[in-house]
Each structure stands twice: as C-alpha cells, then as structure tokens.
C-alpha cells in the first residue's frame, strides 16, 4: 500500500474533527535503520536502530506535527501562521503553509540558523525576520504578536504539533512489533520528547504494545537548562537547532523522564561532532549536528556502563545533514587538489 502521510495513516489516534482535510507532503514512514557498525563503535551489545527523520519532505521531524497544525489552521479558515524557530520549524511551516495557500511569518535568531533552513523558508515564500536575540526571545515575540493579530502560532505550544509528532513513536512500535527498551533523542524546546512519550503511552494504553521505553533526552552542554534546572539567557552550541535556553515543554520533558524511569543529560559540542561524523562515516546517514546529540548521549551512557546487554535501542536522528553545509565543511578535510592527470591522481589516491 502506498503511504498516505501521518494524518491518513494514524487518524484514529489523532483528535481531529471530520472536517479537517489533510494538508500533506506524505511525511512520515521514515526509515528505521539497523546500525550494527555504529553499535560496535559505541560499545553497545544490543540492537541500535536509527529513526531517520531527515527523510521527511522538508528534511526534519517537524513535518509530522506541521501537517496536523496546518491542516487544522486551514480547516479553521486561518489566513496566516507564525512561528519562532531555530530553523527546522520555520522550513516546515513555510512549506506546509505554501501547500495550504496560507501566509507564513517566521522569526529567527540572526546568524544562528543553518543556511539550508533559511533558504527553505525563503523559497517557500515565508516572510522571515531575523532578530538580534535568541530563539527564546523570538518565541516570546511570536506569542505576543499572536495575542493581538489574526495569526495562528505553529510552534509546539500549538497542541496539534505534538499530536502529529507522536506518530514517530507509533511507527517505531509498528516496525519493531513492540516498544524498544530505550529511546534516545535530542532535546531543545522539548516538544519532541514530550510527543514521543505521549505516543508510547497511548499505544500501551490501547494494548497495541505491552511495554514502554525509557526516554533518554540529551541537550547540548551549552544549552542544557533541563539539566541545570535553570533557564539560560545565552545558550550556545554548534548544534544551533537546539540552542534554546527556556524550553516551552519543560514540564513535558520532565514527565517523560520521570514516568519512563529515563534520563535527561547533556553532551558537549565535541561529543556531538564526534557522533555526527560517526553516523555519517559508519552508517551512511548524514544528519545535522543537533540530530547527533541522541547518539552522543548513547555513547556517553555506554561508556559509563549504564546500558545493559542486549537491549533494543532507538536513536532519533531529527534532521538532514544537508541543511547545515557550513558545519560539515568546517569539520571535514577539504578535497585533495590535483591537475587533470591520471598518474598524479593515482599517486594521491595511493592505489
Ligand atoms: N533536532 C532538530 C534538528 C531540531 O530542529 C530540533 C528543534 C530538535 C532536535 C529539538 O526538538 O525542540 O522538540 O526538543 N528545533 C526547533 C525549531 C526548536 O525551531 O526548528 P525539540
């Protein structure tokens, strides 16, 4: 059967009235990739599976929530949507708004958005404002504007976003035939860990699965308010997608951790970049730096001896590596240069 997008596939699990017509780019159904070489490199004896959300239409997991939020906005005959973003939400909002014929307004932190994401928003016709401030300041501005203007906020404070994003947990359980033992994921604004936990809970409550994973959320060390317990004014990390100092779903993330007997911890930028290269070079999957935070977290736990043997472990890879060509260029060797001469090229290749 052809995949028809997360709303049509999971409508029975979504709180949508019958008049909501899906606005879809056929998001979801992303690969769950067995990663044995990575598992060995991380010292993990069980199964490591990578849920590659970069394979969504705009290149990140945001499309799952955006199809639902934009479909509801369109059904309500909204004219415009607005969001703050570290890049992926704005790319997704712009694309789905274009598809629905809605205007999109986007507020982002200046100079802190990966190049590809900024281009996506512009290409889909969004009006983009770059502010001299953080994502958190952008989100405050956006919610303030929405109070007095006729625009719908499509950040994850819009509950339909999390409803859509929970489908990643459904897909993982459907593919495995059960829930995994552990689910590692990056945490920024904390919507995704909240949404995935909701998905696992619902499948368990409906008897579709008979267990739930431990939720393992990882932040970047320079942007880890959930680890320190305090909001942060100047978050800083190479993983710009999760450069957030005051997560909107703070309580949801803590509940996911506590109810699942899980963990919320941090990894350094060096650990994130190491995982970023490992995933690409060992498994052929190119992710953006923030996405590698889940794998960096698994490595940290594994080195600390905190992962029991023979577990089934899922790591979400949230976004595509092509979105951030700058970090890839800066952290990889440049190509060797040679004249157009067979012998000289052969010498360089040493084969
Ligand atoms: N990974 C990527 C690639 C992201 O873009 C984000 C969030 C996260 C992880 C963290 O997810 O916020 O649900 O905890 N990006 C948002 C944005 C903030 O504006 O694109 P979260």
């Amino acid at each position: 059967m052809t995949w028809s997008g997360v709303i049509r596939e999971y409508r029975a699990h979504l709180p949508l009235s019958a008049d909501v017509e899906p606005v879809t780019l056929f998001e979801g159904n992303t690969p769950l990739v067995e990663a044995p070489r990575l598992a060995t490199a991380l010292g993990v004896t069980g199964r490591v599976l990578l849920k590659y959300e970069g394979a969504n239409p705009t290149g990140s997991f945001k499309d799952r929530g955006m199809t639902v939020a934009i479909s509801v906005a369109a059904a309500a005959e909204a004219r415009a949507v607005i969001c703050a973003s570290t890049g992926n939400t704005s790319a997704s909002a712009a694309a789905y708004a274009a598809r629905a014929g809605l205007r999109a307004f986007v507020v982002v932190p200046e100079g802190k958005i990966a190049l590809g994401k900024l281009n996506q928003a512009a290409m889909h016709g969004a009006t983009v404002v770059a502010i001299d401030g953080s994502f958190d300041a952008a989100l405050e501005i956006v919610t303030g504007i929405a109070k007095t203007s006729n625009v719908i906020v499509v950040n994850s404070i819009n509950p339909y976003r999390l409803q859509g994003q929970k489908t990643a947990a459904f897909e993982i359980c459907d593919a495995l035939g059960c829930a995994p033992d552990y689910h590692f994921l990056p945490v920024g604004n904390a919507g995704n860990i909240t949404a995935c936990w909701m998905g696992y809970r619902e499948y368990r409550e409906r008897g579709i699965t008979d267990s739930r994973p431990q939720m393992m959320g990882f932040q970047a060390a320079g942007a880890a308010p959930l680890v320190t317990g305090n909001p942060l004014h100047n978050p800083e990390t190479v993983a710009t997608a999760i450069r957030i100092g005051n997560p909107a779903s703070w309580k949801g993330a803590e509940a996911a951790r506590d109810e699942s007997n899980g963990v919320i911890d941090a990894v350094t930028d060096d650990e994130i970049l190491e995982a970023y290269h490992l995933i690409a070079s060992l498994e052929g999957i190119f992710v953006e730096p923030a996405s590698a935070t889940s794998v960096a977290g698994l490595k940290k736990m594994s080195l600390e001896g905190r992962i029991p043997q023979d577990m089934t472990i899922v790591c979400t890879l949230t976004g595509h590596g092509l979105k951030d060509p700058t970090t890839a260029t800066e952290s990889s060797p440049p190509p060797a240069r040679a004249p157009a001469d067979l012998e000289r090229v052969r010498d360089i290749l040493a084969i």
Side-chain angles (χ1 to χ4, degrees):
M1 269 257 299
T2 319
W3 181 260
S4 60
V6 300
I7 295 181
R8 291 198 179 93
E9 296 289 335
Y10 290 112
R11 189 148 192 152
H13 300 274
L14 297 171
L16 292 178
S17 54
D19 63 325
V20 174
E21 272 294 312
V23 176
T24 183
L25 291 162
F26 303 99
E27 60 294 313
N29 196 25
T30 54
L32 185 64
V33 184
E34 198 90 42
R37 284 157 54 76
L38 185 65
T40 303
L42 303 182
V44 174
T45 59
R47 289 175 81 188
V48 173
L49 298 124
L50 305 173
K51 181 65 172 163
Y52 186 37
E53 293 288 278
N56 275 299
T58 78
S60 86
F61 70 98
K62 305 289 181 179
D63 295 344
R64 294 180 183 279
M66 208 53 75
T67 181
V68 182
I70 297 285
S71 298
V72 170
E77 294 180 358
R79 306 265 302 276
V81 295
I82 190 167
C83 67
S85 185
T86 57
N88 282 322
T89 297
S90 51
S92 185
Y96 282 82
R99 189 121 173 108
L102 304 178
R103 288 197 69 184
F105 300 100
V106 165
V107 184
V108 298
E110 165 139 49
K112 300 292 182 183
I113 305 292
L115 194 62
K117 303 175 188 177
L118 211 50
N119 290 336
Q120 285 179 287
M123 282 298 297
H124 295 305
T127 303
V128 181
V129 179
I131 60 159
D132 180 14
S134 65
F135 166 84
D136 307 283
L139 186 56
E140 254 182 62
I141 290 170
V142 158
T143 50
I145 289 173
K147 275 190 195 132
T148 53
S149 309
N150 191 18
V151 289
I152 292 184
V153 178
V154 292
N155 281 104
S156 55
I157 51 177
N158 178 327
Y160 291 109
R161 281 277 315 280
L162 299 192
Q163 287 294 328
Q165 283 175 209
K166 76 185 178 185
T167 61
F170 295 166
E171 285 181 19
I172 290 165
C173 296
D174 291 346
L176 293 175
C178 61
D181 297 307
Y182 289 93
H183 187 157
F184 283 75
L185 68 181
V187 175
N189 213 23
N192 207 30
I193 190 170
T194 305
C196 286
W197 179 236
M198 173 164 49
Y200 286 121
R201 271 190 352 247
E202 289 182 5
Y203 255 30
R204 175 73 191 85
E205 278 156 19
R206 285 168 202 171
I208 299 168
T209 48
D210 59 11
S211 67
R212 309 181 304 192
Q214 288 176 254
M215 300 300 289
M216 316 297 279
F218 280 82
Q219 301 203 284
L226 288 163
V227 180
T228 63
N230 293 307
L232 197 92
H233 287 297
N234 299 307
E236 209 40 85
T237 167
V238 67
T240 52
I242 53 171
R243 186 177 166 275
I244 293 174
N246 191 14
S249 296
W250 188 300
K251 290 207 164 65
E254 287 184 338
R257 176 195 62 197
D258 298 343
E259 292 166 22
S260 76
N261 196 23
V263 162
I264 294 181
D265 198 354
V267 283
T268 65
D269 278 6
D270 283 349
E271 290 170 320
I272 292 171
L273 288 176
E274 190 205 359
Y276 169 68
H277 284 276
L278 279 180
I279 300 160
S281 61
L282 293 180
E283 299 294 354
I285 299 179
F286 187 21
V287 299
E288 62 170 290
S291 306
T293 306
S294 54
V295 171
L298 173 56
K299 176 165 184 189
K300 180 176 177 175
M301 298 276 301
S302 170
L303 286 177
E304 289 172 359
R306 293 166 68 192
I307 303 292
Q309 297 211 326
D310 301 328
M311 296 287 110
T312 297
I313 300 163
V314 171
C315 295
T316 299
L317 302 178
T318 44
H320 203 293
L322 290 172
K323 284 173 173 276
D324 186 358
T326 312
T327 306
T329 307
E330 285 171 358
S331 67
S332 304
R337 304 195 59 191
D341 177 88
L342 185 149
E343 290 306 328
R344 298 285 293 280
V345 173
R346 199 205 314 264
D347 283 349
I348 290 172
L349 296 177
I351 48 177

